[in-house]
Amino acid sequence: MKLHMHVLIALGLGLKRNWHIFFGLIAGVIVGIFLHSHQNPVIMGLLTIISQLFIRLIQMVVIPLVISAIVIGITSVGDNKQLGKFGKKMILYYGIITVAAVTIGAVLSLIFQPGLGAAHYIAQGTAHDIQNTVATTIAAQKGQLIQLFLSFVPRNPLEAIAKGDIVQIIVFAVIFSIALAKVGDVNRSLVSFFESVFAATMKVTDWIMYFAAPGVFALTALSVSSFGADIFFSISKYLMVLAIGFAIQLFVVYPIFLKVFSKVPVLMLYAAIAEAMMVAFGTASSSATLPLTIACCEKRGISHKVSSFVLPLGATLNMDGTALLQVVAVLFLAQAYGIALTPLLIIQIALLAIVASSTSAGIPGAGLITIALILNGMGLSPEQLVAGFAFLFTVERITDMMRTLINVTSDAVVAAAIADNENEINYDLLTNPSAYNEII
Ligand code: ASP
């Protein structure tokens, strides 16, 4: 079959099952553009309630889900050798995809030079609050790299759960689960407890997904209404570079990656995770999308063993979309401020972006804040760049939606590749969407 036929079939299958979320997305864009020029407090209030309700419901299941998925994932992988193999492969695959992302971001920024000529946009008085927030964040993080890494280890795991600190929760859950796997049979009661927790949270996720279409509609409408269509013109080059970069990841890097490391048909995989991709776009949060990413992968052929191990870790650590954005944003700032970009500096930015992105939580906006890490590492004076940040913040939400879609897709791509390598994938199910279990 010709490639374009595959594309059409995958799109058709994706849309047939997800037309209501997709419709919510498109309607959200149209209503958002309208609301931008016709502010209506009542409608805005209503949209805020709907979107908050959706986000809150979905966030409600994240912590029990992350903990139970990691416990089940690690204990079911079982013996140390297999766990090590899974873990090493996961780091290698996530690494390859993220290195590709930063390389693409750097090359595109150097070709299109999005920051040149942007200087006169930077002085924006209205962005004062944002400037202060960013300045404070930068000041707090200055020289604090070691402190930052230390803060990933929780002093008290219950406090981490109460605060919802997802990185700390994962660190504890991973250590605890490895210990559980090692103690042997006495772990049975606890593991079956977490199996029940997992099953129940997935059920709640199913119910929440009935609300996905209005939720995605409200979220999209609100964010589009805040910037309107004009902003696209003023920083179109920056947005264009990002859009091209994300498209290359989606349509070139992942297909090549899957071809080289597995025999997973990429479009079938995209059709299988279409709901997760759209919810990632709507919520701009990998963590909030995680329940759905797991549901899509598991119900469509990727084993529970792989999904429950690879996806929760990916939702926090694997942020290739964020890394790509960070490289483009920092090079944009450097170009706007006329900083000389040596090859060594560009490599340093790319390496720091890999670290900074993986320390970003899977929540909206995290990626732009951790850019401070890159600037510190470059020895730049971050205060000097604050005005530039304000400029980038004007389109933050839309770029966040795009990069989160990429982050979530690559989690599933890596999970599928590992499942393929380890014989943990049901191809009859993955390649036969009419047999899929419905999620919504
Ligand atoms: N919002 C992104 C995510 O959840 C993280 C970021 O801000 O880049 O994946």
Side-chain angles (χ1 to χ4, degrees), residues 179-348:
L180 261 187
K182 276 189 172 270
V183 294
D185 258 6
V186 284
N187 71 14
R188 251 173 306 125
S189 56
L190 210 49
V191 173
S192 68
F193 166 80
F194 281 112
E195 276 166 0
S196 309
V197 173
F198 183 81
T201 38
M202 289 315 279
K203 191 83 218 153
V204 178
T205 306
D206 276 358
W207 293 336
I208 297 170
M209 283 308 130
Y210 284 111
F211 198 53
V216 167
F217 163 74
L219 282 162
T220 312
L222 277 178
S223 53
V224 172
S225 73
S226 67
F227 54 77
D230 305 355
I231 193 72
F232 286 124
F233 298 113
S234 25
I235 50 172
S236 54
K237 237 182 177 182
Y238 172 70
L239 282 173
M240 181 192 74
V241 167
L242 285 175
I244 296 176
F246 293 145
I248 294 177
Q249 280 293 94
L250 204 56
F251 297 114
V252 181
V253 174
Y254 302 157
I256 293 177
F257 172 85
L258 286 175
K259 189 122 217 136
V260 173
F261 293 102
S262 74
K263 44 187 189 313
V264 175
V266 64
L267 293 173
M268 287 299 172
L269 181 68
Y270 288 177
I273 60 163
E275 288 105 330
M277 288 163 94
M278 284 188 271
V279 169
F281 188 80
T283 59
S285 167
S286 305
S287 296
T289 313
L290 180 63
L292 195 57
T293 321
I294 294 183
C296 286
C297 288
E298 285 194 5
K299 291 189 181 180
R300 283 136 197 196
I302 296 170
S303 81
H304 180 64
K305 210 180 200 178
V306 171
S307 307
S308 60
F309 179 58
V310 177
L311 294 172
L313 294 175
T316 353
L317 294 176
N318 173 47
M319 298 278 173
D320 59 327
T322 302
L324 195 153
L325 170 121
Q326 290 183 326
V327 168
V328 175
V330 171
L331 291 179
F332 173 94
L333 290 171
Q335 287 163 356
Y337 284 93
I339 296 162
L341 283 168
T342 60
L344 210 66
L345 184 58
I346 295 169
I347 292 171
Q348 192 185 350

Side-chain angles (χ1 to χ4, degrees), residues 72-259:
I72 299 171
I74 292 184
T75 51
S76 70
V77 173
D79 67 276
N80 282 337
K81 254 181 39 217
Q82 210 188 3
L83 188 63
K85 213 165 90 191
F86 265 45
K88 271 191 216 129
K89 205 162 242 179
M90 185 182 73
I91 293 168
L92 174 74
Y93 286 176
Y94 281 149
I96 291 173
I97 279 182
T98 309
V99 168
V102 294
T103 311
I104 290 165
V107 170
L108 289 175
S109 300
L110 295 176
I111 295 175
F112 293 104
Q113 313 256 19
L116 287 190
H120 71 276
Y121 287 115
I122 285 171
Q124 291 191 1
T126 47
H128 220 83
D129 284 350
I130 297 165
Q131 294 175 8
N132 286 341
T133 317
V134 178
T136 320
T137 314
I138 289 170
Q141 285 190 348
K142 204 168 184 179
Q144 299 280 314
L145 204 59
I146 294 175
Q147 228 52 42
L148 184 81
F149 280 108
L150 279 179
S151 73
F152 294 162
V153 182
R155 280 204 190 91
N156 174 352
L158 295 181
E159 187 195 354
I161 292 172
K163 280 191 313 193
D165 187 328
I166 211 86
V167 178
Q168 289 195 347
I169 293 172
I170 287 188
V171 168
F172 177 72
V174 168
I175 296 174
F176 185 75
S177 307
I178 294 175
L180 261 187
K182 276 189 172 270
V183 294
D185 258 6
V186 284
N187 71 14
R188 251 173 306 125
S189 56
L190 210 49
V191 173
S192 68
F193 166 80
F194 281 112
E195 276 166 0
S196 309
V197 173
F198 183 81
T201 38
M202 289 315 279
K203 191 83 218 153
V204 178
T205 306
D206 276 358
W207 293 336
I208 297 170
M209 283 308 130
Y210 284 111
F211 198 53
V216 167
F217 163 74
L219 282 162
T220 312
L222 277 178
S223 53
V224 172
S225 73
S226 67
F227 54 77
D230 305 355
I231 193 72
F232 286 124
F233 298 113
S234 25
I235 50 172
S236 54
K237 237 182 177 182
Y238 172 70
L239 282 173
M240 181 192 74
V241 167
L242 285 175
I244 296 176
F246 293 145
I248 294 177
Q249 280 293 94
L250 204 56
F251 297 114
V252 181
V253 174
Y254 302 157
I256 293 177
F257 172 85
L258 286 175
K259 189 122 217 136

Side-chain angles (χ1 to χ4, degrees), residues 284-286 319 322 361-367 400 403-404 407:
S285 167
S286 305
M319 298 278 173
T322 302
I363 54 170
D400 202 1
R403 68 187 187 248
T404 307
N407 291 340

Side-chain angles (χ1 to χ4, degrees), residues 314-398:
T316 353
L317 294 176
N318 173 47
M319 298 278 173
D320 59 327
T322 302
L324 195 153
L325 170 121
Q326 290 183 326
V327 168
V328 175
V330 171
L331 291 179
F332 173 94
L333 290 171
Q335 287 163 356
Y337 284 93
I339 296 162
L341 283 168
T342 60
L344 210 66
L345 184 58
I346 295 169
I347 292 171
Q348 192 185 350
I349 292 172
L351 289 178
L352 284 167
I354 294 174
V355 178
S357 66
S358 60
T359 65
S360 312
I363 54 170
L368 209 62
I369 299 297
T370 50
I371 283 182
L373 273 180
I374 307 179
L375 296 178
N376 281 341
M378 289 163 67
L380 282 174
S381 153
E383 294 80 1
Q384 185 197 348
L385 303 175
V386 162
F389 267 112
F391 185 67
L392 297 180
F393 259 101
T394 54
V395 285
E396 161 59 7
R397 179 72 191 192
I398 186 75

